[in-house]
Amino acid sequence: MLNRIFGLETEYGLLVHQDRPDHSPAWFAHKLRDHIFNVQRRGLLDLHHRGHDEPPGNGGFLTNAGRMYLDMGHLEYASPECNSLTDVVASDRAGDLVLQQAIDELGWADDLSLIKNNIDHETDATFGSHENYLVTRRFPFTRRGLGPLVTFLVTRQIFTGSGRVGSASPQDAWIQVDRLIVPRASLGHGSDRAPLPYQISQRADHIVNDFFEWVQQNRAIVNTRDEPLADPNQYRRIHLLLGDSNMAEYATALKLGTTGLVLQLIEEGHAPRDLDLNEPVESLQEISQDQDRQWLVQLQSGKTISAIDIQEQFLAAAQTHCRGQDEETDWVLNQWEAVLRDLRGDYTKLVGRIDWASKLWLLESYREAEQAGWQDPMLKSLDLEYHNLNQGKSLYYGLLEEGRVPRLITDSAVAIAADHAPKNTRAFGRGELVKHLLAGGSPSEPDELRPDERFFPAYVINWSIFQVRGRAPFPMPDPFRTYVQDVRSHLQGVTT
């Protein structure tokens, strides 16, 4: 894709298949992390505090330059920086592979499942799939400038949603109204929600703001935290919390690719106008919960329009201004058009490509075979099994084995991405650093360390900078540079 860096962060659910488990899910998560870093030696654990909730040893960078760590008891994997859709899909799948291989090696495949979804049916908890997109500092990051992005994000769930049985309880959260922060419940939002059999998005019920800076309890359509993880004078990172974790490679690529093109339209001043939504959060939830799949929303102008119509306007703009710029862009445009066309017909045409449609078809097949209603508790179990990383148990991988799922990448590409970073971004240099240090190749320290260096960790690695004890910090502010030769020279003590 044109001048774009992508990244995905995935939090995994963990399911223990024991009536009276000896250990908590968090215990298993810690053991899996330790096996990945200390036994498989796939990466380096942090030796420094990354924050009050990330002490030394909580996680670290892998040889593929991504990060594996624990976040509030969940295993989380952050992909390395990628600037192609094939790389980000392969890197995302690599996280699944690394974790499932650890489960298999520990002999836990029958007792433990990692679930790549976003909800816990029993506790009503949610866990995230975060998207990251690099934009220039000139990007119009204002409420007015972000209006087209919000409209696009609210309506794109018709092809990016992962689907779920039921719905979450109304969210107890605080939202901003003018200059005040008030309880959402005080405004009457979501207080009379009826039970639902099925909806197309897992995260929609848990989004309570259009814009907000912090993540916990106030999940927003657009997170406003300004943390570029790159040169702040040149770049901004768009950090999104509203999306579902996708099993289908096709859906992952379409989600990231279409969003990247819409960001380009906004950057270049070509985004469709007059599509601002009247109530973005309510529209997000209404689209997800619409059992008739009409997906109608109201604009600030008072006009009512369908999510498909809105998406077709964004597609038309992208067709006009982006077609022909590179091969991946044209693939996205062609598939975007095909999916929107198929969404106007029988949803079963989307099985294998779109997760909510694939899951709904499987659930309806079960209901028909068993003459079961939507209250059948087995449906929630099947919902979870769709997202199981264990290919022998996963309903998604069952569809793949039956030939119903189109592939964008190969298993060998995923295996390579599990061990090696993309070779055309900053991740390449970081991956070489991790491999060098794992091989025992720490640069020799000066004979006399300064007093302030004696208590410095052997290494500190972050996304945009690293430092090895006894050497100067090495900044990597440009995600489009590989830095690989510079890193190698730095580690050998050669001045570049």
Side-chain angles (χ1 to χ4, degrees), residues 295-430:
W295 301 320
L296 299 177
V297 297
Q298 187 178 57
L299 305 181
Q300 288 183 2
S301 64
K303 179 181 179 180
T304 298
I305 186 173
S306 78
I308 299 178
D309 290 335
I310 288 174
Q311 284 292 316
E312 287 179 339
Q313 291 196 39
F314 280 100
L315 170 62
Q319 294 272 28
T320 299
H321 299 286
C322 304
R323 181 168 286 282
Q325 66 187 13
D326 57 62
E327 186 176 340
E328 280 198 335
T329 292
D330 289 350
W331 180 89
V332 171
L333 293 173
N334 292 339
Q335 300 310 314
W336 196 358
E337 181 178 15
V339 161
L340 294 180
R341 180 181 62 247
D342 290 344
L343 281 165
R344 292 191 180 277
D346 183 352
Y347 83 90
T348 60
K349 294 180 181 179
L350 300 161
V351 171
R353 290 180 289 161
I354 304 306
D355 285 307
W356 73 257
S358 301
K359 187 189 294 182
L360 179 59
W361 179 76
L362 288 166
L363 295 176
E364 290 286 25
S365 298
Y366 169 84
R367 292 181 65 234
E368 181 179 354
E370 300 295 328
Q371 294 296 298
W374 277 105
Q375 300 307 312
D376 186 336
M378 179 58 69
L379 293 176
K380 290 184 177 180
S381 297
L382 295 174
D383 185 340
L384 292 179
E385 287 304 318
Y386 179 84
H387 302 271
N388 199 326
L389 295 189
N390 187 324
Q391 296 189 19
K393 298 179 179 180
S394 168
L395 297 183
Y396 165 78
Y397 282 105
L399 290 176
L400 180 64
E401 189 173 329
E402 292 174 5
R404 295 179 178 272
V405 176
R407 294 294 305 270
L408 271 66
I409 53 174
T410 63
D411 288 342
S412 61
V414 176
I416 290 171
D419 293 325
H420 305 286
K423 292 188 175 182
N424 53 5
T425 71
R426 178 176 65 189
F428 191 15
R430 187 186 314 110

Side-chain angles (χ1 to χ4, degrees), residues 483-496:
Y483 293 97
V484 64
Q485 293 301 330
D486 308 85
V487 168
R488 289 169 178 167
S489 296
H490 182 80
L491 293 174
Q492 293 169 4
V494 177
T495 302
T496 58

Side-chain angles (χ1 to χ4, degrees), residues 8-13 74-77 92-93 96 114-119 126-131 156 159-164 200-204 240-253 255-256 353-356 359 383-384 386-389 396:
L8 280 173
E9 303 165 43
T10 302
E11 298 176 26
Y12 296 87
H74 288 276
L75 281 161
E76 182 163 352
Y77 168 72
D92 177 55
R93 283 276 177 245
D96 303 348
L114 279 174
I115 310 295
K116 191 178 183 180
N117 77 333
N118 307 107
I119 52 168
T126 183
F127 24 97
S129 171
H130 299 177
E131 304 157 51
R156 72 170 191 178
F159 55 83
T160 64
S162 288
R164 65 160 293 174
I200 65 172
S201 170
Q202 298 197 351
R203 289 283 277 177
L240 302 179
L241 314 174
L242 83 161
D244 293 356
S245 296
N246 292 110
M247 294 297 291
E249 295 171 359
Y250 184 99
T252 299
K255 173 173 67 178
L256 294 164
R353 290 180 289 161
I354 304 306
D355 285 307
W356 73 257
K359 187 189 294 182
D383 185 340
L384 292 179
Y386 179 84
H387 302 271
N388 199 326
L389 295 189
Y396 165 78

Side-chain angles (χ1 to χ4, degrees), residues 172-212:
D172 181 17
W174 294 74
I175 62 174
Q176 185 167 346
V177 178
D178 296 325
R179 295 178 179 274
L180 299 177
I181 303 294
V182 301
R184 185 173 182 79
S186 69
L187 302 179
H189 292 307
S191 56
D192 298 318
R193 182 178 297 170
L196 293 172
Y198 188 81
Q199 55 180 309
I200 65 172
S201 170
Q202 298 197 351
R203 289 283 277 177
D205 284 348
H206 300 274
I207 303 300
V208 298
N209 276 296
D210 47 5
F211 304 101
F212 210 78

Side-chain angles (χ1 to χ4, degrees), residues 241 413 453 463:
L241 314 174
E453 292 178 330
W463 290 101

